[in-house]
Amino acid sequence: MPAATIETPSLNIGEAAARSGVSAKMVRHYESLGLLPAAKRTASGYRQYGEKDVHMLRFIRRSRDLGFGMAEIAELLKLWQDRRRSSASVKRIALEHVADLERRIAEMTAMKQTLQRLASCCHGDERPDCPILDDLGQHGH
């Protein structure tokens, strides 16, 4: 049986960012939040990453693409790394996120309808009368 290989970090932050599709700034941010383990450092202090880190960054990026928040991503990462996890926990997080997305979509739909109604009431000409501004002024206090 071959000996287990230990991954040697060999990518700088720019290379890890490029391979994962995440900016170097976000790599540092995810590291500061604890989503990504602290990078190994060269003697001169440069961060070094391995393929495992790139894989984690891709996981984080895909989670962000789906709209998960940082707390949810942290929980999903822990579950992803736990081979004894219950898929029910992952499904719960996903369905809670779906419910949150549905709520936000409903709120945005209501905003869109209100703005469309207000815009249709506005003449959009040289006159100073503007139902859009009137509405904003009434709800501003």
Side-chain angles (χ1 to χ4, degrees):
M1 183 173 211
T5 58
I6 297 174
E7 179 186 23
T8 304
S10 59
L11 304 171
N12 66 35
I13 195 167
E15 293 165 333
R19 286 195 188 189
S20 64
V22 173
S23 70
K25 179 180 179 179
M26 291 309 294
V27 172
R28 288 188 290 273
H29 181 64
Y30 296 148
E31 190 176 330
S32 74
L33 293 175
L35 294 178
L36 190 66
K40 305 263 189 286
R41 300 280 185 149
T42 64
S44 53
Y46 290 104
R47 290 175 166 88
Q48 293 260 278
Y49 299 92
E51 288 303 320
K52 183 178 177 186
D53 298 313
V54 170
H55 200 82
M56 288 179 71
L57 287 166
R58 287 179 183 147
F59 182 98
I60 294 167
R61 186 195 74 223
R62 178 65 177 146
S63 299
R64 292 293 295 151
D65 289 347
L66 291 173
F68 285 103
M70 294 302 178
E72 294 166 316
I73 293 172
E75 197 172 346
L76 288 168
L77 273 168
K78 286 178 189 163
L79 290 165
W80 183 51
Q81 294 166 342
D82 179 3
R83 297 290 175 213
R84 296 177 296 150
R85 69 184 167 258
S86 162
S87 64
S89 299
V90 180
K91 184 175 183 175
R92 175 190 50 77
I93 295 168
L95 291 178
E96 286 173 359
H97 186 59
V98 167
D100 183 53
L101 289 171
E102 288 172 343
R103 179 191 55 75
R104 289 172 31 205
I105 289 167
E107 289 172 355
M108 292 174 82
T109 300
M111 285 188 269
K112 177 185 168 200
Q113 290 169 345
T114 298
L115 286 170
Q116 284 176 326
R117 179 182 50 77
L118 290 170
S120 71
C121 294
C122 182
H123 295 287
D125 56 18
E126 291 76 33
R127 290 185 275 184
D129 300 345
C130 181
I132 299 168
L133 293 177
D134 292 343
D135 182 84
L136 294 173
Q138 288 175 3
H139 291 90
H141 46 88

